[in-house]
Amino acid sequence: MITGKQKALSEVARMATPYKRVLVLGCGTCTTICFAGGQKEAAEMASSLRLLGQNEKRRQVFSEHTVRRQCEWEYLDEIAPLLKETDAIVSLSCGVGAQALAERFPEISILPGLDTCFMGLPQEPGVWIERCLACGDCIIDTTAGICPITRCAKGLLNGPCGGSVDGQCEISADIPCAWQLIHDRLASQGLLSRLDELPPVRDWSTSHSGGPRRIVRQDLKVKKAP
Amino acid sequence: MRAMKAGTNLEKVLRSGAFAVTAEIGPPKGAVAAVVKRKADLLKGSCDAYNVTDNQTAIVRMSSLAGCVMLKEAGLDPVMQIVVRDRNRIAIQSDILGAVALGIGNFLCLSGDHQRFGNHPQAKGVFDIESIQLIQTFKNLRDEGRFISGDEISGEMPLFIGAAANPFADPVDFRVARLAKKVRAGADFIQTQAVYDVERFATWMKGVRQLGLHKEVYILAGLIPPKSIGMARYMRDYVPGIHVPDEIIERLENADDVKEEGQKITLELIEALEEIEGLSGIHIMAVGWEEAVPHIVAKAGLLPRPVV
Ligand code: SF4
Ligand code: SF4
């Protein structure tokens, strides 16, 4: 899933200051699961903003709503009627959802209510960890199902560096060394000799380095009438 | 005897079979050329080649290339360190071309300390290619006359390719295998992480000999002369991959003159290392204490340096 972290309330309030009628819009999918921007968080943020606005004697109206997913056009239609009464939307989805709103409703100002963090999963209650950088050329068949591009701090491809100690990455005691994990899993699978290979230099053009990306599926494109 | 690759002083000394000595020179956090020149004068004649670090510990310093050129002008044989942290394949290959044009022949390929350790932790890490691929890149430039892209290079590329190795990191059983990868990738010489635990180092070297790697690559053991108790403790506690036994710390704690004791420890380490079969020399990294190097080399009986 895509993870996110709510921005500080003061920061959201600052962004919202110029607008009279503000809709706090939750997202029912990824940011709900990571407790950053679901229905509950949208309601809480709206009421906190309301309180703060009152204290600071701003004449603002805050309302809240949550859609199934802000990143799909079909779920955005339902908010169209609410927008007659709205000057700005605080989006509690990831950056994809927030941008979809901006595209669908160009007359409304879109304010990011959270910082989109990474693609990952929960490790334990309250802790999420990154797992994939969407490099566009997945290689984890060679690395025992563990992504070194994402999980090794230096994106190494040839095994643990000289800073790997006691299973920890040199950059932090909280981060396991991805290559120690790969090493151990390959060892348990009897595939340790895989580490002897010298993988070729990566082609990063499939990643964001190649510019903003697109997927085109001819088989799914709507054919124009002849 | 191995074929001559770049004909640098370092390569010639190693080929002659003499026990080589290299040292590290840290460039300044500023643009004063006199700082580099002073260090060059101080160390001249005490080593066979001198590594210029590349923004070590991710702290911005004068560029390695500039430092190397200044050493060269002062008559020293430089080793240009290159990390993959700050430059992509375009910048790195371009720097190598420039360095060769300026007469630099020795290079050391490194990943580089992560930017989070340095004075610009907000920087974007590059890591376009990684350190073993950097070794391959050098070899390709030299032996195939080709860039990573496959395009041809005009002119010769005499390169003596170095790499680092850490016998003390985990997983221990992979440490010799990783060296073997670096050799296969094209490393001509190796400078290791600082050795304090000779026994562990000797065990690693045994594994190295078992694979015959010492015949394919020159190995120089790293040494960091401990300058103070605080520095030794810091290395023990906070520098991942350096193993400082408590005994070393205790010796420094009990010494009347810590610097004197630090040099003594280093001399004892050198003596023990010289006994290890297959070791080609030492690499002294006297961080911020370069003036100790000539004394240590002299007292170790390693002067004068061979003229080859
Ligand atoms: S290799 Fe690429 S696609 Fe596969 S998990 Fe890693 S970043 Fe994601
Ligand atoms: S310690 Fe492990 S995860 Fe961290 S940079 Fe080194 S190899 Fe990568």
Side-chain angles (χ1 to χ4, degrees):
Chain A
M1 67 162 131
I2 295 175
T3 62
K5 240 173 26 188
Q6 257 184 34
K7 284 184 181 285
L9 189 68
S10 55
E11 171 69 5
V12 180
R14 184 196 58 76
M15 288 188 291
T17 303
Y19 306 100
K20 213 166 164 283
R21 298 164 303 175
V22 179
L23 171 65
V24 179
L25 189 65
C27 178
T29 306
C30 294
T31 59
T32 293
I33 303 171
C34 67
F35 304 99
Q39 194 170 18
K40 179 167 162 277
E41 290 78 21
E44 279 166 4
M45 183 176 280
S47 86
S48 302
L49 287 170
R50 223 169 269 136
L51 217 65
L52 201 69
Q54 276 162 15
N55 290 347
E56 294 176 5
K57 308 224 165 359
R58 279 198 294 267
R59 292 165 174 263
Q60 285 175 291
V61 181
F62 294 96
S63 55
E64 75 252 17
H65 187 78
T66 297
V67 297
R68 178 89 180 267
R69 273 195 280 290
Q70 291 186 24
C71 62
E72 280 189 68
W73 306 120
E74 60 176 295
Y75 297 117
L76 297 185
D77 294 337
E78 73 183 66
I79 63 166
L82 305 174
L83 298 185
K84 290 189 198 91
E85 305 285 315
T86 301
D87 304 312
I89 300 177
V90 172
S91 167
L92 293 184
S93 74
C94 70
V96 180
Q99 290 181 68
L101 292 173
E103 201 168 327
R104 174 58 63 94
F105 308 112
E107 68 286 0
I108 309 275
S109 296
I110 306 300
L111 316 173
L114 54 79
D115 296 311
T116 308
C117 295
F118 51 78
M119 283 194 278
L121 46 74
Q123 185 183 36
E124 57 184 270
V127 180
W128 288 264
I129 38 178
E130 186 166 21
R131 281 292 188 254
C132 174
L133 279 168
C135 73
D137 182 11
C138 197
I139 54 156
I140 63 172
D141 57 312
T142 63
T143 55
I146 295 166
C147 174
I149 296 179
T150 311
R151 297 174 68 184
C152 166
K154 299 176 188 168
L156 300 182
L157 298 170
N158 274 297
C161 77
S164 173
V165 175
D166 294 333
Q168 290 162 352
C169 173
E170 64 171 35
I171 72 159
S172 163
D174 298 329
I175 299 174
C177 168
W179 277 105
Q180 174 80 56
L181 297 175
I182 295 168
H183 170 275
D184 294 350
R185 201 175 288 171
L186 286 174
S188 72
Q189 295 174 344
L191 295 171
L192 209 50
S193 61
R194 284 238 175 117
L195 282 188
D196 294 337
E197 281 158 34
L198 292 170
V201 163
R202 297 263 314 175
D203 173 358
W204 293 115
S205 68
T206 60
S207 78
H208 184 68
S209 291
R213 293 171 278 180
R214 256 158 53 99
I215 297 173
V216 181
R217 284 271 307 267
Q218 294 302 344
D219 57 328
L220 297 176
K221 283 181 96 169
V222 180
K223 296 205 175 60
K224 290 200 184 85
Chain B
M1 190 176 281
R2 290 166 234 187
M4 189 74 90
K5 303 291 172 56
T8 62
N9 188 59
L10 176 61
E11 184 179 10
K12 287 185 195 153
V13 170
L14 285 166
R15 282 179 99 232
S16 77
F19 196 72
V21 181
T22 58
E24 191 173 276
I25 292 184
K29 280 165 98 172
V32 184
V35 177
V36 182
K37 297 221 170 85
R38 202 168 54 235
K39 287 186 182 181
D41 290 341
L42 197 73
L43 296 189
K44 193 170 182 177
S46 60
C47 302
D48 306 311
Y50 305 82
N51 288 47
V52 183
T53 51
D54 182 6
N55 298 295
Q56 197 172 23
T57 62
I59 289 172
V60 178
R61 291 176 179 276
M62 184 189 285
S63 74
S64 172
L65 176 54
C68 284
V69 170
M70 281 183 250
L71 293 192
K72 184 106 194 140
E73 281 168 357
L76 283 69
D77 184 27
V79 180
M80 181 172 159
Q81 300 199 173
I82 301 187
V83 302
V84 297
R85 175 194 61 222
D86 308 322
R87 274 160 292 181
N88 68 10
R89 64 190 79 182
I90 299 171
I92 287 177
Q93 294 181 104
S94 145
D95 277 353
I96 298 170
L97 298 183
V100 170
L102 291 163
I104 294 159
N106 309 308
F107 296 86
L108 187 75
C109 305
L110 299 165
S111 306
D113 301 301
H114 196 271
Q115 61 275 9
R116 95 138 59 167
F117 293 114
N119 61 354
H120 291 74
Q122 306 84 355
K124 188 166 183 174
V126 177
F127 303 108
D128 172 22
I129 58 174
E130 50 104 272
S131 60
I132 294 188
Q133 295 176 334
L134 179 57
I135 302 171
Q136 289 175 303
T137 301
F138 270 101
K139 189 175 157 59
N140 233 14
L141 290 168
R142 184 188 64 201
D143 298 347
E144 312 299 327
R146 288 185 191 280
F147 292 106
I148 293 175
S149 65
D151 286 1
E152 264 178 62
I153 304 163
S154 52
E156 290 292 299
M157 289 293 282
L159 304 167
F160 193 44
I161 310 167
N166 186 357
F168 309 104
D170 286 327
V172 175
D173 65 308
F174 180 64
R175 290 300 142 190
V176 174
R178 184 157 164 94
L179 178 71
K181 287 184 93 167
K182 293 194 175 184
V183 173
R184 256 192 303 133
D188 299 312
F189 70 97
I190 298 290
Q191 292 171 318
T192 77
Q193 178 59 283
V195 180
Y196 289 104
D197 187 336
V198 177
E199 214 172 298
R200 265 182 79 177
F201 183 76
T203 309
W204 178 74
M205 279 298 296
K206 201 172 151 203
V208 169
R209 287 195 302 274
Q210 273 162 2
L211 294 187
L213 297 173
H214 63 303
K215 296 199 175 121
E216 293 179 63
V217 72
Y218 303 105
I219 300 170
L220 285 75
L223 291 160
I224 301 181
K227 188 184 178 184
S228 68
I229 303 167
M231 173 217 190
R233 283 198 196 123
Y234 182 83
M235 284 192 293
R236 178 191 62 187
D237 299 335
Y238 298 110
V239 181
I242 294 196
H243 181 247
V244 188
D246 290 333
E247 181 209 320
I248 302 263
I249 313 265
E250 278 158 30
R251 275 184 65 177
L252 293 169
E253 283 168 347
N254 297 329
D256 295 327
D257 184 336
V258 178
K259 285 190 173 180
E260 185 70 41
E261 189 67 19
Q263 293 203 17
K264 219 174 131 209
I265 290 169
T266 309
L267 286 167
E268 289 172 20
L269 289 168
I270 295 174
E271 218 184 301
L273 289 168
E274 280 177 303
E275 297 299 312
I276 297 178
E277 194 195 327
L279 192 68
S280 296
I282 50 169
H283 174 54
I284 308 171
M285 298 168 277
V287 191
W289 195 25
E290 281 97 341
E291 65 268 25
V293 174
H295 299 292
I296 292 169
V297 180
K299 283 197 203 142
L302 292 167
L303 287 185
R305 297 310 309 148
V307 181
V308 283

